[in-house]
Amino acid sequence: QRFCSQCSAAITLRVPPDDNRMRAVCENCGAIHYQNPRNVVGVLAVWQDKVLLCRRAIEPRYDKWTLPAGFMELGETTAQGAMRETQEEAGAQIELGPLYTVIDVPHAEQVHFFYLARALSEDLFPGPESLEARFFPLDQIPWSELAFRTVITTLEHYVEDRKGAQFPMHHYDIPLPVPD
Amino acid sequence: QRFCSQCSAAITLRVPPDDNRMRAVCENCGAIHYQNPRNVVGVLAVWQDKVLLCRRAIEPRYDKWTLPAGFMELGETTAQGAMRETQEEAGAQIELGPLYTVIDVPHAEQVHFFYLARALSEDLFPGPESLEARFFPLDQIPWSELAFRTVITTLEHYVEDRKGAQFPMHHYDIPLPVPD
Ligand SMILES: [Zn+2]
Ligand SMILES: [Zn+2]
């Protein structure tokens, strides 16, 4: 951020009064431009013991498989956003279930939310952000071709929870990745 | 948002290619300025069957009582943010417990997270955002003087859950308020 979005004056980085961290401050109009983490909302949808994955047509992680998910938009709930992303990326008809994973990803400045859902049909109509959408039996999940650690860990919890047929909400952090 | 924060050119509101909603677009440098919901993170801290509340020294809801809470910052987890806010607003020493409520507040473009916590001392050192911080017995919670509906509903869940001494995570929406 270099310029004030309210008045176009140049931004100063400084700690405002009664604050304790650097902010983008406009000395011309007085606006303080805060930045905050973003939420990613998605769905783990199930059809006859198979889980819905989409192969990404966009960066990052082009060609990798993901649960349908994307940034939460203004004016919607996490549930509404998760359903919207499932429609946009997979064209799947689903009945949304409970919130299943809530994952802090501080190095990405994000919180991820995945809901469980039941697919109402096997028909899929992937949108422009997906090369392909497909239901995978649990023993055929492409683990080495998954796009994100929050997708991997959510699927790991699901495979484990299926053994006891109990699906409690899981909350955890994804720590900073270890450099390769 | 009237000007591009990258190049200071005037903003155009339009739907970008491959998108489906209006964005703040810069025709000069090509930047698309997205806006997303913000997370509020807070704590329900308990000392000897009493809950910690702060009386607000800032708007909105000046003089009303709240659980310590505030906007999540970049680079922190929801848990770290909740602990930071408790330190800043109440100066309380706490041991953080599990995530307790996750509340969608779409009309405010927010998601609220409250953690349970155990206070390690009765000593409180309220900061400049609080007129006062105090531990309240459950039967003396100032229900009619609470600042926010997410605070009220989190405390309601806690009072109810105390009866069975089970504190599962609760996820729900706060619908649009009915006009007065
Ligand atoms: Zn300005
Ligand atoms: Zn620009």
Side-chain angles (χ1 to χ4, degrees), chain A residues 42-159:
Chain A
V43 165
L44 194 168
V46 179
W47 171 259
Q48 293 178 349
D49 290 355
K50 292 179 283 193
V51 295
L52 173 60
L53 295 175
C54 300
R55 193 153 59 89
R56 288 172 65 80
I58 51 175
E59 294 292 352
R61 312 297 163 83
Y62 179 92
D63 202 41
K64 300 296 185 189
W65 291 92
T66 185
L67 296 169
F71 288 112
M72 186 182 183
E73 299 276 8
L74 295 183
E76 68 187 8
T77 63
T78 53
Q80 289 166 342
M83 294 203 51
R84 176 182 51 72
E85 290 290 343
T86 305
Q87 182 57 46
E88 289 176 4
E89 297 188 358
Q93 288 194 294
I94 61 168
E95 178 180 81
L96 206 67
L99 182 57
Y100 183 54
T101 54
V102 176
I103 315 168
D104 274 284
V105 194
H107 61 271
E109 302 173 339
Q110 294 172 356
V111 182
H112 291 209
F113 301 72
F114 288 94
Y115 284 80
L116 294 178
R118 193 168 66 88
L120 301 175
S121 145
E122 198 169 15
D123 296 336
L124 298 172
F125 301 93
E129 292 173 40
S130 303
L131 298 170
E132 181 183 358
R134 198 198 298 178
F135 289 100
F136 285 85
L138 295 194
D139 60 1
Q140 292 174 34
I141 290 172
W143 292 103
S144 65
E145 299 297 315
L146 295 177
F148 302 108
R149 287 204 288 167
T150 58
V151 167
I152 295 170
T153 55
T154 295
L155 286 165
E156 286 173 343
H157 277 297
Y158 183 74
V159 168

Side-chain angles (χ1 to χ4, degrees), chain B residues 4 15 20 33 49 55 60 66 76 87-88 95 119-120 152 154-156 158 163 172:
Chain B
C4 177
V15 180
N20 50 28
H33 301 281
D49 290 355
R55 194 153 58 91
T66 185
E76 69 186 6
Q87 183 57 46
E88 290 176 4
E95 178 180 81
L120 302 175
I152 295 170
T154 295
L155 286 165
E156 286 173 343
Y158 183 74
K163 297 174 185 169
Y172 51 97

Side-chain angles (χ1 to χ4, degrees), chain B residues 95-152:
Chain B
E95 178 180 81
L96 206 68
L99 182 57
Y100 183 54
T101 53
V102 176
I103 314 169
D104 274 284
V105 194
H107 61 272
E109 302 173 339
Q110 294 172 356
V111 182
H112 290 209
F113 302 72
F114 288 95
Y115 284 81
L116 293 179
R118 192 168 67 87
L120 302 175
S121 146
E122 199 169 15
D123 296 335
L124 297 172
F125 302 93
E129 293 174 40
S130 302
L131 298 170
E132 179 184 359
R134 197 198 298 179
F135 289 100
F136 285 84
L138 294 195
D139 60 1
Q140 293 174 33
I141 290 171
W143 292 104
S144 64
E145 298 298 314
L146 295 176
F148 303 108
R149 286 204 288 168
T150 59
V151 168
I152 295 170

Side-chain angles (χ1 to χ4, degrees), chain A residues 2 5 23 73 78 104, chain B residues 2 5 23 39 73 78 104:
Chain A
R2 298 176 56 214
S5 56
R23 308 287 183 186
E73 299 276 8
T78 53
D104 274 284
Chain B
R2 299 176 55 215
S5 57
R23 308 287 183 186
N39 292 333
E73 299 275 8
T78 52
D104 274 284

